[in-house]
Amino acid sequence: MAEKVTIATVARHARVSRQTVSNVLNSPHIVRQETRQRVEDAINALGYRANQAARQMRTGRSRLIAARIDPTRDGINGSVLDRFLHGLTETADAAGYRVLLYTATDDDREIATYGDLLGTYELDAFVLVGTKYGDPRTEWLADRDVPFVTFGRPWDALDAHPWVDVDGAAGTAQATRRLLEAGHRRIAFLGWPVGSGVGDDRRAGWRDALRAAGVDPTGLHRETEDGIAEGERLMRDLLVTVAPSAVVCASDSLALGALQAIRGVDPPVSVIGFDDTPVAAAVGLTSVSQPLGEAAARCVDLLTGVLDGAHETPTPVLLQPSLALRHTA
């Protein structure tokens, strides 16, 4: 039986790396003419998927995009990514693309995975979920001219690359105004450590809404890593040190912890979460809801625009959240 011809076979025959073969198939313009010709000769000589290779050399397209699945933490906020990926898969399919899912435990492993995926699956592009200051993943992809879009804005420079995001500050501001209208003044905030782009944004919405109402937010906020236990611990501290009548939280996990801490407290403390997870709906938690299906669709729109050459620098998309009102606020 003849040996199956793979990218690795072509790479050995042409005396180049697998990545170079992938580049010739997907982005031939970035490969030197001499090297490209050697790879193309090897493809022809070996008969490597001749029809697909010829198509990709003409179009530079495999119609395959990749997105990462994050490890599950507490089983709550993972549902946010699940809903986004579901919307991404449906929208991509309607546009004629398939979505390849991969996992990685940290940025270094994710970047290493990029090289493997590009060399093995001949991807057109990536959709990255979640961004941070000094994000090494976007830098790696941009340096290599690999098309990508992020769900989450580039916090260092808003014009760095195509992105779609939800206005977290608008969401927590809306939640805070809801509590102010209900007569609350001492409204606390449970958030994430300073330096998290998303966390800083959500805290800013709460802070600015309080200041606009003439309320000093000093001393009313606490920061921690995300989680139910962490939310409960910080809420107990707030009850002793600040005695708030309400609290806005950066996530539903923190809000669920706060609900545990205020059990039996009189008068009751109002709680609002963020992300409107299924657990929030089940326990009657008021929560800020992100338009995840629309975010996924807009990511595909931006990406296909870049790949189709409709626009080189697409306009970023900032979507508005809403407030899912329930029993806790």
Side-chain angles (χ1 to χ4, degrees):
M1 181 180 295
E3 178 186 359
K4 180 181 178 181
V5 178
T6 66
I7 279 184
T9 311
V10 175
R12 287 195 300 270
H13 190 91
R15 302 186 306 282
V16 298
S17 67
R18 292 190 307 167
Q19 181 63 60
T20 299
V21 176
S22 178
N23 287 341
V24 170
L25 293 171
N26 296 323
S27 305
H29 61 281
I30 69 173
V31 183
R32 289 189 309 169
Q33 172 62 34
E34 178 184 354
T35 303
R36 186 167 70 245
Q37 186 63 53
R38 195 162 71 243
V39 172
E40 290 173 355
D41 290 344
I43 289 173
N44 292 331
L46 296 170
Y48 168 67
R49 291 198 290 181
N51 292 336
Q52 181 177 356
R55 177 182 64 82
Q56 289 186 338
M57 285 180 186
R58 290 193 306 270
T59 68
R61 303 279 289 280
S62 66
R63 309 200 73 82
L64 183 64
I65 59 179
R68 169 180 168 178
I69 299 177
D70 283 337
T72 299
R73 297 190 303 274
D74 55 20
I76 297 173
N77 288 322
S79 65
V80 177
L81 178 60
D82 289 345
R83 284 183 287 162
F84 175 79
L85 290 176
H86 184 80
L88 182 71
T89 302
E90 284 190 337
T91 308
D93 181 68
Y97 286 82
R98 294 168 295 154
V99 177
L100 173 69
L101 300 179
Y102 64 93
T103 186
T105 55
D106 56 39
D107 289 342
D108 289 339
R109 287 180 174 84
E110 183 166 3
I111 289 171
T113 300
Y114 294 162
D116 292 339
L117 292 175
L118 287 168
T120 304
Y121 294 102
E122 302 159 359
L123 298 170
D124 276 349
F126 288 83
V127 176
L128 274 57
V129 180
T131 51
K132 65 191 78 175
Y133 289 104
D135 198 323
R137 303 169 305 156
T138 58
E139 181 181 357
W140 192 95
L141 292 171
D143 286 348
R144 290 158 179 78
D145 294 322
V146 178
F148 69 95
V149 63
T150 61
F151 178 36
R153 73 200 88 162
W155 298 99
D156 302 288
L158 294 181
D159 60 351
H161 57 71
W163 57 268
V164 176
D165 203 0
V166 176
D167 193 339
T172 51
Q174 184 180 358
T176 305
R177 288 193 296 268
R178 166 76 181 184
L179 294 169
L180 287 165
E181 291 166 0
H184 295 282
R185 302 293 286 177
R186 189 167 295 182
I187 304 170
F189 182 80
L190 293 184
W192 301 322
V194 174
S196 158
V198 175
D200 293 348
D201 191 47
R202 295 181 184 181
R203 183 174 55 254
W206 159 83
R207 179 196 63 214
D208 294 347
L210 284 185
R211 287 177 175 169
V215 178
D216 184 1
T218 303
L220 291 175
H221 60 90
R222 298 289 186 275
E223 284 80 34
T224 183
E225 298 299 326
D226 200 36
I228 297 174
E230 290 80 359
E232 180 177 4
R233 176 177 57 82
L234 287 193
M235 190 66 210
R236 291 190 186 283
D237 174 70
L238 282 170
L239 291 172
V240 172
T241 59
V242 176
S245 63
V247 61
V248 176
C249 301
S251 73
D252 282 350
S253 294
L254 292 174
L256 289 167
L259 286 177
Q260 292 182 357
I262 65 171
R263 191 175 299 163
V265 172
D266 190 32
V269 177
S270 295
V271 179
I272 297 181
F274 201 112
D275 283 330
D276 192 25
T277 59
V279 175
V283 303
L285 172 66
T286 294
S287 184
V288 177
S289 179
Q290 301 194 65
L292 297 171
E294 183 179 0
R298 300 303 291 273
C299 282
V300 173
D301 287 344
L302 288 185
L303 202 53
T304 55
V306 171
L307 293 172
D308 292 339
H311 36 62
E312 295 183 1
T313 56
T315 302
V317 178
L318 187 62
L319 301 173
Q320 295 302 306
S322 59
L323 196 58
L325 296 172
R326 301 191 180 93
H327 306 308
T328 62

